[in-house]
Amino acid sequence: MRIVLVGPPGAGKGTQAVRLAEKLGIPHISTGDLFRANISRQTELGKLAKSYMDAGNLVPDEVTIAMAKDRMEQPDAENGFLLDGFPRNVSQAEALDELLRDEHMTLDAVLDLEVPEEEVVKRIAGRRICRNDSSHVFHVTYSKPEQEGVCDVCGGELYQRDDDSEDTVRKRLEVYHTQTEPIIDYYKAQELVVTISSLGPVDEITQRALEALKREKAGK
Ligand code: AP5
């Protein structure tokens, strides 16, 4: 399957993407994680991305699309992928459509995670991620690691993302509403959008998502 995951910062995209990708046997491709890996390796792309990310803005389309395309062309993505955080505006959505058309491929669904803004703020304030791999995500209250400050998956140090400060989160939410939300209408016109609530226990949301994707597939 080829799926796009969309939702505001803190909706639980990363948390759900890891689980859904495993259940569906497809790679989880997160542009945020790819940027953070570049930042920790101190590449030129990482240095450029950091300045935009720390301000809560989108990284320019040209570099983002090239990076996403490169990742989607890796052999493990041949039979499908779960995109998390890409596309993030209408021009990226158009670029993705073009890329898929060139490869004679189509998207199967756009999974839209709905969550109220006050919940987003609580989730982001308590989020801690792993220095070794930013897809290892915890929360100080909702998803506590066994040992405080230590990643359950790999033993890495847990830290708070630089862009999780209150001011930057407010900016990221504004960017989400103005630039990312319009892609939902873009994909509604293609009858691809499946909306689910992202409230409740993590495993229940995964189940909800799998059932919604199954219904979507059966209805085609
Ligand atoms: P990115 O890394 O994609 O961040 P985001 O979209 O803002 O989303 P988040 O990672 O903040 O939240 P999430 O929905 O993944 O939530 P999570 O599962 O962690 O992007 C960061 C930046 O990179 C952007 O601002 C931009 O600058 C740049 N960028 C990335 N892609 C780009 C693109 N395509 N174009 C341009 N720029 C781009 O969950 C949050 C917390 O809640 C966690 O602590 C988790 O444990 C907890 N939680 C999760 N589910 C639940 C639940 N059900 N109940 C209680 N707690 C929960």
Side-chain angles (χ1 to χ4, degrees), residues 11-27:
K13 298 183 298 295
T15 302
Q16 292 304 326
V18 170
R19 289 161 175 78
L20 291 171
E22 199 196 327
K23 300 251 183 215
L24 298 169
I26 49 178

Side-chain angles (χ1 to χ4, degrees), residues 82-112:
L82 180 59
L83 294 178
D84 161 13
F86 181 87
R88 228 179 173 93
N89 58 27
V90 171
S91 42
Q92 292 183 12
E94 288 168 347
L96 175 62
D97 272 353
E98 198 183 316
L99 209 133
L100 292 170
R101 234 183 346 258
D102 287 350
E103 300 295 326
H104 309 287
M105 292 172 179
T106 50
L107 281 178
D108 294 290
V110 173
L111 186 64
D112 169 29

Side-chain angles (χ1 to χ4, degrees), residues 7-17 30-33 35-36 49-50 52-61 64-65 67-68 84-89 92 113 119-120 122-129 134 137-144 161 163-164 168-169 172 175-176 198-203 205:
K13 298 183 298 295
T15 302
Q16 292 304 326
S30 156
T31 40
D33 287 347
F35 284 135
R36 281 183 287 276
K50 187 167 168 49
Y52 291 92
M53 290 167 81
D54 285 354
N57 288 316
L58 297 188
V59 181
D61 284 348
T64 304
I65 293 165
M67 179 184 75
D84 161 13
F86 181 87
R88 228 179 173 93
N89 58 27
Q92 292 183 12
L113 299 185
E119 176 69 11
V120 159
K122 279 191 232 158
R123 287 187 185 181
I124 290 185
R127 170 168 50 196
R128 299 293 181 269
I129 64 167
S134 67
V137 180
F138 299 85
H139 190 282
V140 291
T141 318
Y142 304 139
S143 174
K144 274 182 162 174
R161 272 168 48 174
D163 61 344
D164 277 353
T168 312
V169 169
R172 283 162 56 202
V175 168
Y176 176 74
S198 189
L199 280 181
V202 168
D203 289 342
I205 299 166

Side-chain angles (χ1 to χ4, degrees), residues 141-161:
T141 318
Y142 304 139
S143 174
K144 274 182 162 174
E146 271 175 31
Q147 193 186 333
E148 197 186 320
V150 180
C151 175
D152 287 353
V153 184
C154 69
E157 181 200 354
L158 299 182
Y159 77 106
Q160 187 160 28
R161 272 168 48 174

